[in-house]
Amino acid sequence: MRLLFLGAPGVGKGTQAEVLSRHYDLPHIAMGDIIREAMRKGTPVGLEAKAYVEKGQLVPDEVIIKVIRERLKEGDAKKGYILDGFPRTIRQGEALTEILEQEDAKIDHVVNFFVDEETLVKRISGRRSCPSCGKVYHLVYRPPACEGQCDCGVDLIQRKDDRPETVKSRLGVYKNETLPLIEYYEKKGDLQNIEACGTVEEISKNVQSVFGSA
Ligand code: AP5
């Protein structure tokens, strides 16, 4: 099964993808995680992406498309995947269609998670993540067992792009560049809208009821 998770920054796509990748035994391919890892390692992609990410802007399409093309060739992606944070522009959506056509494959479900802007900002401002294992927490909604520390023992950090001024820029970029992509999938008749309110578990159940039990 191939799934696309779309939605604004902080809506909870990554959290849902993490839960559902375990449930459906599918790799969770998160473009944001791939980019942050490249930035940590200082690879050419990471060095190019850094300035864009830190300003809350999108990394250029040609860089992202090259990265996803390589990632989807890896062995674990053969059985399917959950794509989180890709595509984000019409150009990326068209590139994905091309990649799939070359493999005679298709996306089974395109899910658009939505919630009001006040909730997005609350979720982003309280998010903390582990720089070592990548696990994501929230100070109020998903606190770590031990304050300030991941279950793996490493100190939690706040993402640089989760600072208020950068969040504003990310939300603006989402409206200008990603909303048209959502309309693109809507017109194709592929889109399933899921309201991302309630607990993580409630939302996962709603998603599963759309997909059926694989
Ligand atoms: P990326 O990391 O993908 O950021 P994003 O899309 O802005 O999404 P987020 O990670 O902020 O949010 P999420 O929806 O995954 O929410 P989460 O589950 O963490 O990308 C970062 C940057 O990389 C981009 O700005 C761009 O520069 C670049 N980039 C990435 N992809 C790109 C692309 N395709 N093209 C170009 N550039 C690209 O949840 C948020 C918080 O809420 C967490 O603390 C969580 O615990 C909490 N939470 C989740 N669900 C609930 C719930 N139901 N109730 C209460 N709290 C909840």
Side-chain angles (χ1 to χ4, degrees):
M1 185 159 64
R2 294 179 190 82
L3 308 173
L4 284 195
F5 283 5
L6 307 177
V11 74
K13 332 177 263 305
T15 302
Q16 290 303 322
E18 179 204 315
V19 172
L20 293 163
S21 75
R22 282 197 300 271
H23 181 80
Y24 291 112
D25 188 25
L26 291 171
H28 169 197
I29 301 180
M31 185 51 78
D33 290 347
I34 295 175
I35 292 172
R36 280 184 290 278
E37 172 80 359
M39 283 164 53
R40 261 195 304 276
K41 289 186 175 158
T43 67
V45 166
L47 293 174
E48 181 159 9
K50 193 169 186 288
Y52 295 97
V53 174
E54 290 184 353
K55 281 191 231 143
Q57 293 169 357
L58 294 184
V59 178
D61 285 338
E62 60 275 20
V63 176
I64 294 291
I65 291 166
K66 203 168 159 208
V67 168
I68 202 72
R69 216 178 257 288
E70 290 307 310
R71 178 63 186 87
L72 295 183
K73 281 185 196 153
E74 288 179 28
D76 64 339
K78 295 296 161 219
K79 64 177 175 181
Y81 41 75
I82 303 179
L83 276 185
D84 157 20
F86 177 88
R88 240 178 245 243
T89 62
I90 300 261
R91 173 73 196 96
Q92 293 180 17
E94 290 169 346
L96 179 62
T97 303
E98 274 168 40
I99 294 171
L100 290 165
E101 278 172 4
Q102 283 161 7
E103 292 174 3
D104 204 16
K106 67 175 188 60
I107 296 294
D108 297 281
H109 299 281
V110 182
V111 179
N112 175 40
F113 293 100
F114 69 95
V115 84
D116 60 274
E117 196 161 311
E118 195 187 328
T119 305
L120 294 176
V121 172
K122 274 190 196 156
R123 287 185 184 172
I124 294 179
S125 59
R127 173 167 49 198
R128 297 292 181 273
S129 35
C130 176
S132 174
C133 72
K135 189 164 176 184
V136 175
Y137 297 85
H138 190 282
L139 293 177
V140 178
Y141 308 124
R142 220 185 180 193
C146 179
E147 200 185 327
Q149 243 186 31
C150 181
D151 295 342
C152 75
V154 172
D155 285 349
L156 296 174
I157 55 156
Q158 181 172 33
R159 271 168 48 180
K160 274 192 183 166
D161 62 340
D162 280 353
R163 289 178 297 207
E165 63 280 13
T166 317
V167 170
K168 213 171 147 202
S169 155
R170 284 163 63 200
L171 292 174
V173 166
Y174 172 75
K175 284 178 194 152
N176 292 332
E177 310 217 30
T178 308
L179 278 183
L181 176 76
I182 289 172
E183 285 160 21
Y184 165 88
Y185 283 115
E186 204 153 37
K187 280 192 192 135
K188 284 173 73 159
D190 288 343
L191 198 71
Q192 285 154 327
N193 288 299
I194 300 260
E195 190 169 14
C197 290
T199 65
V200 169
E201 294 71 25
E202 284 164 350
I203 300 163
S204 306
K205 284 210 175 99
N206 288 342
V207 179
Q208 285 169 47
S209 67
V210 169
F211 296 167
S213 53

